[in-house]
Structure formats: C-alpha cells, structure tokens
Amino acid sequence: MTDNLDSGDQAESVAKSGAIEARQVAIGGQLLQVALRHGDGSAPPLLLFNGIGANWELAKPFLEALTSTTAIIFDVPGVGGSPRPLLPYRPSTLARLAAALVAELGYTEIDVAGVSWGGGIAQQFAHQYPKLCRRLVLAATAPGFTMVPASPSVLWKMATPRRYTDKGYMNRIAADIYGGAFRDDPSLIGRHAAAMHGARSLGYLYQLLAMSGWTSLPWLWSLPQPTLVLMGRDDPLVPPINGHILAGLIPNAELRMIDDGHLFIVTRPVETAALIEAFLADASRHVEPSSLLSRMASWIGDIASTFGGRRDNQAQQQGRK
C-alpha cells in the first residue's frame, strides 16, 4: 500500500482516476512544470524522468495507457514549461529537486522510472534515496558515459536540439536515431514531432553537461530496489548491450526486450505500460541475480546480435534506396 502524507491522500481522493493535471510548482526557488496522472491510490506513485530535451507531453501516450497507477512527471529546468536555472546542474541536483517535489506533493514512498537520458537520473535517484524509492524501471538507457555508444553518425545527430525545433530535420533523421517503428511508419514521426515544444539550446546544453563524466557503474551493485530493465531490440541510440550491463550489475534486476526501437514508450505505450504496471504490482516477484559467468555470456551474445542487427538495418536502408 502507498504511504502518503495527508495532502497526497486528499489530492488523490478528489481527482478522477485517469485524469492528467498539469500545473506549475515552485521547489526551492525553481519553478517546475509538473504533470500528475491520477490513479486509484492503491500503490505508490510512479515518478518518471523523461529523455533529453523532452517536454512532459511527449510521454502523454504512456501516461494515458496506465490503468491504475498514479504518475508524476516534470519538465527538467530549461526544458518545456520549466524555466532555465541560473547555473548548470548535476544528476544529484535533479535527484534532490525531484525528492523535494515528491515531498511537496505529499508522498513518502514512490516507484521511479527513467527513459533514455532520464534513466541516468532515475539511477541516481534510486542510489541517492533508497528509502524513498521502492522499485526502479529503466527504459532504453545506459550506465552513463561508460555505456557502449551509438555510432558516431547517430551521436552527431543528437548533439543539438535541432530535431525539436526543425520538423523537417526531425522527419529526415527520426528513423536513423530512433529505429524500430519509426523506420516503417512515417506518420509516427509527424505525431511525435507535433508534441515537441519548448526545447531551448542552453537548457539542452545543461542536460548534456549534467551527464558529462557521470557513470553509475561503481555503485550499481549496491542498488536495493527490484529493477525492471526495458530495451528495444532495434535501438540505434542506446544499443541493447547496455541493458544487459544494467541488468547484470544491478543485483535484483530483470531484462525484458521489446521488438521496437528507442522510443517504444511512445510507439508501444499500451504494451510498455502493461509491462511496467505488472512489475510494480507483483509483490510476490523475487528476481534472482544471475552469476557473473552467465552475465558475461549474455553480454557477449548481445554484442554479436547488436552488430549483426546494425548490418541488417544498413542493408535494409540501402535496399530501400
């Protein structure tokens, strides 16, 4: 059962389950654009950290696909509806800001999820606040700068927020950086681009700087939370091997592969929401960590499949041309 303060209970009781409420909340002098998806109050809320340059509306299909879970998401300072901070920040800074937001909303226990860039912040939060974070979900993410990287061409296309401000550019590069369903359904690109707004160059730079030199590798072994790692099989931006690394080093973790690309939370919101809610609700689930030998074998196998998949994708693209 959720352990909420009175204000959280009251807010939950007056809101209609499934409704999404957006409002601005001041936390320690920083104004945040916050969206709250109201659930039935039967479990702790899910705090979701979004990807780089992403306003909360990009996660709206996922929020709407949840059936009973209360979810909290906010625009990172300098992105979307949250004003830019005076100074750059680190993942630990955002973790403190998020913890203060959770307290302001009246909750004393939460589940945490992070997508792509936000997965790093989610890892930091779980490490920094182990008593506040009950369970952890990591989607299409990696352990920081020590990750197995994407190809240089993909990284170059991600270096600026241009895809958030230039819809034509977004249409040209979406399949290359996101993979999966974006390769075959151009309509997905248009719908995704339509939900983008508010990405600012300095705010984007702050997000890049936040992860500069950051890694979770030294302490992943110490995370106490049951953890679900979700990865797309055709993810050009975060190769699937990174999911095997996370699931192998976090003691109580399991890895689930999804037949899609980097943005499966957007292209397959119902499937993703169902996987996450089942994981969060299953109190009897006890994931046994694998042996180091089996982890190494899994990593080697996934490296082979990753590079094989890249060759197949390149061949398909050349065939289309």
Side-chain angles (χ1 to χ4, degrees):
M1 294 294 290
T2 186
D3 184 11
N4 302 339
L5 297 179
D6 290 342
S7 60
D9 289 334
Q10 292 170 1
E12 202 69 25
S13 64
V14 299
K16 181 181 178 181
S17 181
I20 299 176
E21 172 195 0
R23 65 178 186 267
Q24 291 199 318
V25 180
I27 303 295
Q30 172 66 54
L31 200 61
L32 295 177
Q33 182 71 18
V34 179
L36 181 66
R37 188 271 182 195
H38 296 282
D40 61 15
S42 62
L46 178 66
L47 173 66
L48 176 62
F49 292 101
N50 218 342
I52 189 168
N55 49 288
W56 77 264
E57 289 90 346
L58 291 174
K60 193 173 181 180
F62 169 76
L63 297 177
E64 292 175 337
L66 295 170
T67 60
S68 60
T69 304
T70 295
I72 305 163
I73 186 170
F74 66 93
D75 290 343
V76 170
V79 174
S82 296
R84 175 177 53 85
L86 294 177
L87 298 171
Y89 49 80
R90 298 296 291 166
S92 57
T93 313
L94 283 185
R96 286 196 298 273
L97 187 67
L101 172 63
V102 169
E104 176 69 21
L105 294 177
Y107 299 104
T108 58
E109 183 182 53
I110 58 170
D111 296 319
V112 175
V115 180
S116 192
W117 180 92
I121 309 301
Q123 293 169 62
Q124 180 67 42
F125 189 100
H127 174 61
Q128 203 164 319
Y129 299 99
K131 294 182 179 179
L132 180 58
C133 177
R134 186 189 69 134
R135 292 195 176 195
L136 178 64
V137 178
L138 302 175
T141 193
F145 83 95
T146 49
M147 70 180 288
V148 177
S151 68
S153 64
V154 171
L155 292 176
W156 177 252
K157 291 167 184 172
M158 288 292 295
T160 75
R162 184 181 171 188
R163 68 190 187 283
Y164 288 101
T165 58
D166 185 340
K167 299 301 188 291
Y169 180 70
M170 177 64 176
N171 286 330
R172 293 195 299 273
I173 70 166
D176 295 334
I177 62 175
Y178 296 138
F182 281 85
R183 298 190 191 277
D184 301 311
D185 187 353
S187 68
L188 288 174
I189 301 174
R191 292 199 297 270
H192 185 65
M196 295 177 174
H197 67 82
R200 298 183 287 278
S201 296
L202 192 53
Y204 194 89
L205 176 61
Y206 278 7
Q207 286 189 283
L208 290 175
L209 290 175
M211 285 298 176
S212 176
W214 179 90
T215 178
S216 57
L217 281 183
W219 43 259
L220 282 176
W221 62 270
S222 69
L223 292 181
Q225 296 89 356
T227 302
L228 175 64
V229 181
L230 299 174
M231 300 297 292
R233 294 187 189 278
D234 177 24
D235 188 342
L237 188 57
V238 182
I241 179 62
N242 291 284
H244 284 268
I245 294 173
L246 290 171
L249 293 179
I250 299 172
N252 196 14
E254 67 169 315
L255 173 65
R256 297 289 297 271
M257 302 298 296
I258 296 177
D259 290 323
D260 208 330
H262 185 68
L263 289 183
F264 55 82
I265 193 172
V266 173
T267 56
R268 297 195 178 203
V270 175
E271 177 183 343
T272 305
L275 284 171
I276 291 175
E277 288 194 301
F279 168 74
L280 298 179
D282 190 356
S284 65
R285 179 177 297 188
H286 297 285
V287 181
E288 295 297 331
S290 59
S291 68
L292 180 59
L293 182 61
S294 66
R295 296 176 201 173
M296 291 177 64
S298 179
W299 296 349
I300 293 171
D302 199 61
I303 288 175
S305 65
T306 296
F307 285 103
R310 285 182 180 176
R311 288 194 296 269
D312 292 342
N313 290 333
Q314 290 172 355
Q316 290 175 6
Q317 291 171 14
Q318 290 174 355
R320 292 190 181 111
K321 294 178 182 177

